[in-house]
Amino acid sequence: QVQLVESGGGVVQPGGSLRLSCAASGFTFSNFGMHWVRQAPGKGLEWVAFTQFDGINKYYSVSVRGRFTISRDNSKNTLYLQMNSLRTEDTAVYYCAKSGKSEWDLSDYWGQGTPVTVSS
Amino acid sequence: DIQMTQSPSSLSASVGDRVTITCRASQSISRHLSWYQQKPGKAPKLLISAASNLQSGVPSRFSGSGSGTDFSLTISSLQPEDFATYYCLQSYSTPPITFGQGTRLDIK
């Protein structure tokens, strides 16, 4: 069965960095695009970034562009989100999600989320 | 970017009620609209894709309709497990994909 397991979240000071990982199993990872979506405490869902199946084309929300980098290692079935220059407003639970039928669709396969807290 | 506006933002209803949540896009998105259900502390669950396609395993009391700019999610007879927050999501004009702000469905 499809599984996505995030890790790497934690508490970091403003201006700091974190790298999130999402370990995938149960499907051919290298065939699918992957997304990161976040949810600030008590708030709604916000799309963060997307990488196509081969990791060549990557897209970001305006709020993270230039600070966050999405990447993937298809040999390790793992998706990453490198987060630099973190701000308090980046505090959220971060989810990885598998693309659906179309690469820009989100499927029903999401990780459990990893919390990131940016605070001094 | 396409803006997605859900209404209402919150809703109180009773078990057995029929409930409709609407989602309006700031421009036409054809039928590239999905609905998600989220319970506290859990990842969102996909209910409906392409405006009206019920996902496998989702109870038939859930239905979706609409095209263009106006969409709706209807729960025909609320069950206790349906009390949650619901989000619409457009994937027509990308990037970005954009969510509605959510509709919190509470027990009356």
Side-chain angles (χ1 to χ4, degrees):
Chain A
Q1 72 281 19
V2 173
Q3 272 202 308
L4 297 170
V5 179
E6 301 98 337
S7 60
V11 180
V12 61
Q13 291 189 338
S17 299
L18 273 179
R19 188 175 85 154
L20 307 183
S21 298
C22 170
S25 60
F27 66 103
T28 306
F29 181 71
S30 58
N31 285 354
F32 290 90
M34 294 291 296
H35 297 260
W36 286 100
V37 175
R38 69 184 180 183
Q39 186 169 37
K43 302 297 185 182
L45 299 165
E46 179 190 13
W47 173 78
V48 173
F50 166 71
T51 175
Q52 289 183 323
F53 69 99
D54 55 6
I56 294 177
N57 290 314
K58 306 170 185 182
Y59 304 87
Y60 301 92
S61 69
V62 170
S63 58
V64 308
R65 193 174 300 149
R67 300 187 299 122
F68 290 12
T69 302
I70 188 171
S71 63
R72 63 192 297 161
D73 186 336
N74 285 346
S75 70
K76 295 182 178 179
N77 290 344
T78 303
L79 175 73
Y80 302 101
L81 186 68
Q82 177 67 44
M83 304 187 296
N84 298 332
S85 303
L86 282 160
R87 305 168 179 167
T88 55
E89 56 265 35
D90 296 318
T91 294
V93 174
Y94 285 74
Y95 297 98
C96 62
K98 175 182 170 288
S99 284
K101 286 185 178 180
S102 145
E103 64 180 10
W104 280 103
D105 290 331
L106 292 177
S107 71
D108 197 26
Y109 298 107
W110 295 52
Q112 82 287 356
T114 188
V116 172
T117 302
V118 184
S119 173
S120 54
Chain B
D1 297 354
I2 294 179
Q3 309 303 316
M4 304 301 294
T5 303
Q6 277 183 243
S7 60
S9 296
S10 63
L11 176 59
S12 293
S14 302
V15 173
D17 284 353
R18 179 184 179 90
V19 165
T20 297
I21 298 168
T22 64
C23 189
R24 174 164 288 178
S26 59
Q27 63 190 75
S28 177
I29 58 170
S30 184
R31 293 176 60 82
H32 293 257
L33 191 284
S34 303
W35 290 98
Y36 283 83
Q37 175 195 66
Q38 188 181 33
K39 296 183 178 180
K42 300 294 187 182
K45 170 185 169 69
L46 179 62
L47 300 175
I48 288 171
S49 63
S52 62
N53 290 349
L54 194 68
Q55 296 302 291
S56 175
V58 175
S60 59
R61 62 181 180 272
F62 290 91
S63 63
S65 65
S67 66
T69 60
D70 294 313
F71 301 86
S72 62
L73 171 71
T74 297
I75 310 171
S76 60
S77 178
L78 274 173
Q79 298 302 301
E81 60 268 30
D82 300 337
F83 292 95
T85 300
Y86 293 84
Y87 294 91
C88 62
L89 168 67
Q90 75 81 21
S91 56
Y92 177 75
S93 177
T94 59
I97 56 175
T98 45
F99 292 91
Q101 80 277 17
T103 295
R104 179 172 171 170
L105 178 53
D106 290 332
I107 300 174
K108 184 183 287 184

